[in-house]
Amino acid sequence: MGTKIKNYILSYNAGSFIKRLLIVLLALVLMNFGIACYYQCCLGTDPFSVFVDGEHSLFNPTYGQCTLINNLFLFAFMLLTMRKYIHVGSIIGVFISGWLIDLFNGLIGKFMANLAEKYVLAAQISLLLIGLVAFAVSVGLYINADMGISAVEGIVLWLEEKTKINARWLRIAEDIFFMLLGMLLGGLAGRTVFGINPDLAPLTGIGTVVGAFGTGPIMKWGINVMIGPLRKWFGPLRKTEATKEA
């Protein structure tokens, strides 16, 4: 077993691995900064974050703590059902995403708290747009690095294998499921809908709509723009790939 593990590790090109790892870390920083922008704009979040916000509203842990618990649960599911999709990027994301979300939430929250009231709405809209772009671009970077998938994406791939339903439709169904569940728990997109917090601004929930329709196109554009330069910079991840190319 020790020899197999050693040979597996030595099969990687160290330079390509390190470059991809740096992009994964950059993607995770951008991703969780984008999520924090969604939370702090108070206009609604991406569908899965609506679920996290519902957990936060109901049980009162921090967003990061909710994220860590969710990640650990989903990662355990991946270990049991789809280990082939797990890579170093998947593992790093499980353990640092929650910490990054709480870090950025704190920083952005302090900024918003010190803002004059007449600038609040403009800042909220700006945070929404910044969060959308940061999140979508980060997903494109994460995918291009090809160092594993997130647990949320893993569920879609597992269901696709089991049901043979196109992953696009499964992702839509997953988003709807988590969004509705989060709304029922009191997540931000649902507080106005269900009258849980009628004092929130009328724009509450628009962030979820913007995220649902805007993330995909920006992510696809980012992937198409970055894939060529990044692959050239990365080089082959494994030595066997380099041999085939030669």
Side-chain angles (χ1 to χ4, degrees):
M1 181 65 72
T3 303
K4 288 183 178 180
I5 294 174
K6 181 180 178 181
N7 290 337
Y8 179 79
I9 293 173
L10 291 175
S11 71
Y12 282 95
N13 283 313
S16 179
F17 184 89
I18 292 172
K19 290 174 183 176
R20 291 168 189 265
L21 185 59
L22 290 173
I23 293 299
V24 166
L25 292 173
L26 173 62
L28 288 170
V29 170
L30 276 176
M31 186 181 298
N32 292 290
F33 170 71
I35 292 172
C37 286
Y38 269 124
Y39 287 136
Q40 293 299 323
C41 79
C42 295
L43 298 175
T45 65
D46 64 277
F48 188 77
S49 295
V50 174
F51 169 64
V52 176
D53 189 49
E55 293 176 305
H56 166 74
S57 300
L58 189 62
F59 302 110
N60 206 35
T62 66
Y63 289 111
Q65 289 168 345
C66 290
T67 299
L68 176 60
I69 293 169
N70 292 333
N71 283 347
L72 289 172
F73 177 79
L74 293 173
F75 185 70
F77 179 75
M78 286 184 71
L79 283 174
L80 293 173
T81 60
M82 43 193 158
R83 286 189 291 271
K84 64 182 178 180
Y85 294 120
I86 296 174
H87 208 298
V88 64
S90 310
I91 299 170
I92 293 173
V94 167
F95 292 100
I96 74 168
S97 292
W99 175 78
L100 286 172
I101 287 174
D102 279 347
L103 172 66
F104 288 126
N105 262 331
L107 294 174
I108 298 170
K110 287 181 181 178
F111 169 77
M112 292 295 288
N114 293 321
L115 206 59
E117 187 174 349
K118 62 180 179 179
Y119 298 123
V120 169
L121 182 57
Q124 287 179 290
I125 294 173
S126 298
L127 282 176
L128 171 59
L129 297 176
I130 292 169
L132 168 66
V133 174
F135 183 79
V137 170
S138 72
V139 175
L141 284 170
Y142 192 91
I143 291 172
N144 278 324
D146 194 22
M147 294 283 277
I149 62 174
S150 69
V152 176
E153 293 295 336
I155 294 175
V156 172
L157 294 177
W158 179 75
L159 286 172
E160 184 181 36
E161 288 183 358
K162 296 296 180 182
T163 65
K164 308 306 179 185
I165 299 173
N166 189 288
R168 176 184 297 178
W169 303 113
L170 290 171
R171 180 56 193 262
I172 292 172
E174 182 186 55
D175 283 347
I176 292 172
F177 171 77
F178 280 116
M179 184 176 69
L180 291 176
L181 182 56
M183 288 167 70
L184 290 170
L185 292 174
L188 189 56
R191 292 179 192 168
T192 298
V193 175
F194 291 107
I196 296 172
N197 191 346
D199 295 328
L200 288 176
L203 287 175
T204 299
I206 194 173
T208 303
V209 177
V210 169
F213 289 97
T215 301
I218 295 174
M219 179 184 71
K220 187 175 181 181
W221 173 82
I223 291 173
N224 291 337
V225 168
M226 295 182 291
I227 190 168
L230 282 177
R231 283 185 175 178
K232 186 176 180 180
W233 182 59
F234 289 150
L237 180 57
R238 292 181 179 276
K239 294 176 181 177
T240 52
E241 295 173 8
T243 302
K244 289 179 182 178
E245 290 181 7

